[in-house]
Short mmCIF file of all heavy atoms in Angstrom, two decimals:
data_model
loop_
_atom_site.label_atom_id
_atom_site.label_comp_id
_atom_site.label_asym_id
_atom_site.label_seq_id
_atom_site.Cartn_x
_atom_site.Cartn_y
_atom_site.Cartn_z
N TYR B 37 9.31 -69.39 8.58
CA TYR B 37 9.83 -70.65 8.03
C TYR B 37 10.07 -71.65 9.16
O TYR B 37 10.31 -71.24 10.30
CB TYR B 37 11.16 -70.43 7.31
CG TYR B 37 11.04 -69.64 6.00
CD1 TYR B 37 11.32 -68.27 5.96
CD2 TYR B 37 10.66 -70.30 4.81
CE1 TYR B 37 11.24 -67.56 4.79
CE2 TYR B 37 10.57 -69.58 3.63
CZ TYR B 37 10.86 -68.22 3.61
OH TYR B 37 10.77 -67.52 2.45
N ALA B 115 7.55 -52.64 13.32
CA ALA B 115 6.66 -51.67 13.98
C ALA B 115 7.39 -50.35 14.20
O ALA B 115 6.89 -49.27 13.87
CB ALA B 115 6.16 -52.22 15.31
N ASN B 118 8.06 -48.68 10.90
CA ASN B 118 6.86 -48.03 10.37
C ASN B 118 6.58 -46.72 11.08
O ASN B 118 6.26 -45.71 10.44
CB ASN B 118 5.64 -48.94 10.53
CG ASN B 118 5.61 -50.00 9.43
OD1 ASN B 118 6.36 -49.87 8.45
ND2 ASN B 118 4.82 -51.04 9.61
N LYS B 132 6.00 -29.24 4.40
CA LYS B 132 5.48 -28.80 3.11
C LYS B 132 4.30 -27.84 3.34
O LYS B 132 4.20 -26.78 2.72
CB LYS B 132 5.00 -30.00 2.31
CG LYS B 132 5.00 -29.73 0.83
CD LYS B 132 4.79 -31.00 0.02
CE LYS B 132 3.91 -30.68 -1.16
NZ LYS B 132 2.89 -31.68 -1.41
N ASN B 165 -4.47 3.31 21.13
CA ASN B 165 -4.12 4.60 21.72
C ASN B 165 -3.79 5.64 20.67
O ASN B 165 -3.14 6.64 20.95
CB ASN B 165 -2.94 4.43 22.66
CG ASN B 165 -3.29 3.47 23.78
OD1 ASN B 165 -4.37 3.54 24.35
ND2 ASN B 165 -2.38 2.55 24.07
N PHE B 175 -0.52 8.48 1.71
CA PHE B 175 -0.64 9.37 2.87
C PHE B 175 0.61 10.25 2.99
O PHE B 175 0.52 11.46 3.15
CB PHE B 175 -0.82 8.55 4.15
CG PHE B 175 -0.86 9.38 5.40
CD1 PHE B 175 -2.06 9.90 5.85
CD2 PHE B 175 0.30 9.67 6.11
CE1 PHE B 175 -2.10 10.69 6.99
CE2 PHE B 175 0.26 10.45 7.25
CZ PHE B 175 -0.94 10.97 7.68
N TRP B 199 -2.74 17.04 13.13
CA TRP B 199 -3.89 16.14 13.12
C TRP B 199 -4.71 16.24 14.40
O TRP B 199 -5.63 15.47 14.62
CB TRP B 199 -3.44 14.69 12.93
CG TRP B 199 -2.98 14.47 11.54
CD1 TRP B 199 -1.70 14.48 11.09
CD2 TRP B 199 -3.80 14.24 10.39
NE1 TRP B 199 -1.67 14.29 9.74
CE2 TRP B 199 -2.95 14.13 9.29
CE3 TRP B 199 -5.19 14.14 10.19
CZ2 TRP B 199 -3.42 13.91 8.00
CZ3 TRP B 199 -5.65 13.91 8.91
CH2 TRP B 199 -4.77 13.81 7.83
N ASP B 200 -4.30 17.18 15.24
CA ASP B 200 -5.05 17.36 16.47
C ASP B 200 -6.27 18.23 16.16
O ASP B 200 -6.35 19.39 16.55
CB ASP B 200 -4.16 18.00 17.53
CG ASP B 200 -4.81 17.90 18.91
OD1 ASP B 200 -5.96 17.43 18.98
OD2 ASP B 200 -4.15 18.27 19.89
N PRO B 202 -10.24 18.91 16.37
CA PRO B 202 -11.37 18.55 17.25
C PRO B 202 -12.36 17.59 16.59
O PRO B 202 -12.80 16.62 17.21
CB PRO B 202 -12.03 19.90 17.54
CG PRO B 202 -10.94 20.90 17.36
CD PRO B 202 -10.02 20.37 16.32
N VAL B 209 -13.04 9.27 19.10
CA VAL B 209 -13.35 9.01 20.51
C VAL B 209 -14.85 8.83 20.75
O VAL B 209 -15.26 7.95 21.49
CB VAL B 209 -12.80 10.17 21.39
CG1 VAL B 209 -13.14 9.91 22.84
CG2 VAL B 209 -11.30 10.30 21.18
N LEU B 254 -7.79 4.06 9.21
CA LEU B 254 -8.29 5.39 8.91
C LEU B 254 -7.93 5.70 7.46
O LEU B 254 -6.76 5.74 7.10
CB LEU B 254 -7.63 6.40 9.86
CG LEU B 254 -8.18 7.81 9.87
CD1 LEU B 254 -9.63 7.82 10.30
CD2 LEU B 254 -7.35 8.68 10.82
N LEU B 323 -37.29 22.80 -18.90
CA LEU B 323 -36.06 22.03 -19.13
C LEU B 323 -34.87 22.70 -18.48
O LEU B 323 -34.02 22.05 -17.86
CB LEU B 323 -35.79 21.89 -20.64
CG LEU B 323 -36.65 20.89 -21.38
CD1 LEU B 323 -36.28 20.85 -22.85
CD2 LEU B 323 -36.49 19.51 -20.77
N GLN B 334 -27.27 16.55 -7.52
CA GLN B 334 -26.00 15.84 -7.62
C GLN B 334 -25.00 16.34 -6.60
O GLN B 334 -24.32 15.58 -5.96
CB GLN B 334 -25.39 16.05 -9.02
CG GLN B 334 -26.10 15.37 -10.12
CD GLN B 334 -26.21 13.89 -9.91
OE1 GLN B 334 -27.24 13.42 -9.46
NE2 GLN B 334 -25.16 13.17 -10.20
N THR B 361 -52.56 25.28 -19.50
CA THR B 361 -51.67 24.93 -20.61
C THR B 361 -52.22 23.80 -21.46
O THR B 361 -51.90 23.71 -22.64
CB THR B 361 -50.25 24.54 -20.12
OG1 THR B 361 -50.39 23.60 -19.06
CG2 THR B 361 -49.48 25.74 -19.64
N THR B 373 -57.82 17.46 2.22
CA THR B 373 -57.09 17.13 3.45
C THR B 373 -57.32 18.19 4.52
O THR B 373 -57.25 17.89 5.71
CB THR B 373 -55.58 17.05 3.18
OG1 THR B 373 -55.10 18.37 2.89
CG2 THR B 373 -55.26 16.12 2.04
N ALA B 379 -43.48 22.11 4.55
CA ALA B 379 -42.64 21.55 3.49
C ALA B 379 -42.20 22.70 2.60
O ALA B 379 -42.55 23.84 2.84
CB ALA B 379 -43.42 20.53 2.67
N LEU B 391 -45.86 15.24 -12.22
CA LEU B 391 -46.69 14.04 -12.33
C LEU B 391 -47.84 14.29 -13.30
O LEU B 391 -48.17 13.44 -14.12
CB LEU B 391 -47.21 13.61 -10.95
CG LEU B 391 -46.14 13.19 -9.95
CD1 LEU B 391 -46.79 12.74 -8.64
CD2 LEU B 391 -45.25 12.07 -10.51
N VAL B 407 -57.02 13.10 -9.88
CA VAL B 407 -56.11 13.40 -8.78
C VAL B 407 -56.87 13.18 -7.49
O VAL B 407 -57.99 13.68 -7.33
CB VAL B 407 -55.61 14.86 -8.86
CG1 VAL B 407 -54.66 15.15 -7.70
CG2 VAL B 407 -54.93 15.12 -10.19
N SER B 419 -52.45 11.08 -5.20
CA SER B 419 -52.33 10.11 -6.29
C SER B 419 -52.75 10.77 -7.59
O SER B 419 -53.74 11.48 -7.64
CB SER B 419 -53.26 8.91 -6.05
OG SER B 419 -52.85 8.24 -4.89
N ASP B 422 -53.68 8.18 -14.51
CA ASP B 422 -54.02 8.40 -15.92
C ASP B 422 -54.50 7.10 -16.54
O ASP B 422 -54.37 6.03 -15.95
CB ASP B 422 -52.83 8.99 -16.69
CG ASP B 422 -51.68 8.00 -16.84
OD1 ASP B 422 -51.89 6.92 -17.42
OD2 ASP B 422 -50.56 8.32 -16.35
N PHE B 423 -55.09 7.22 -17.71
CA PHE B 423 -55.62 6.04 -18.40
C PHE B 423 -54.90 5.87 -19.72
O PHE B 423 -55.50 5.62 -20.75
CB PHE B 423 -57.13 6.19 -18.57
CG PHE B 423 -57.83 6.35 -17.25
CD1 PHE B 423 -57.97 7.62 -16.67
CD2 PHE B 423 -58.29 5.25 -16.56
CE1 PHE B 423 -58.57 7.78 -15.43
CE2 PHE B 423 -58.89 5.40 -15.31
CZ PHE B 423 -59.03 6.67 -14.75
N TYR B 440 -33.47 7.91 -17.02
CA TYR B 440 -34.13 6.72 -17.54
C TYR B 440 -35.41 7.10 -18.27
O TYR B 440 -36.21 7.89 -17.78
CB TYR B 440 -34.47 5.72 -16.42
CG TYR B 440 -35.10 4.47 -16.99
CD1 TYR B 440 -34.30 3.45 -17.50
CD2 TYR B 440 -36.48 4.35 -17.08
CE1 TYR B 440 -34.87 2.32 -18.07
CE2 TYR B 440 -37.06 3.22 -17.66
CZ TYR B 440 -36.25 2.22 -18.14
OH TYR B 440 -36.82 1.11 -18.72
N LYS B 464 -38.11 12.36 -1.28
CA LYS B 464 -37.18 11.71 -0.33
C LYS B 464 -36.62 12.71 0.67
O LYS B 464 -36.52 12.44 1.86
CB LYS B 464 -36.02 11.05 -1.08
CG LYS B 464 -36.31 9.68 -1.60
CD LYS B 464 -35.02 8.88 -1.80
CE LYS B 464 -35.33 7.50 -2.33
NZ LYS B 464 -35.08 7.40 -3.78
N THR B 485 -46.46 10.27 -0.54
CA THR B 485 -46.88 10.69 0.79
C THR B 485 -45.88 11.73 1.28
O THR B 485 -44.73 11.76 0.82
CB THR B 485 -46.85 9.52 1.78
OG1 THR B 485 -45.56 8.92 1.73
CG2 THR B 485 -47.92 8.51 1.47
#
Side-chain angles (χ1 to χ4, degrees):
Chain B
Y37 291 99
N118 280 347
K132 204 169 142 223
N165 300 317
F175 176 88
W199 289 97
D200 193 354
V209 179
L254 190 62
L323 284 180
Q334 290 303 99
T361 49
T373 68
L391 296 182
V407 180
S419 297
D422 68 59
F423 301 87
Y440 182 84
K464 276 203 180 102
T485 53

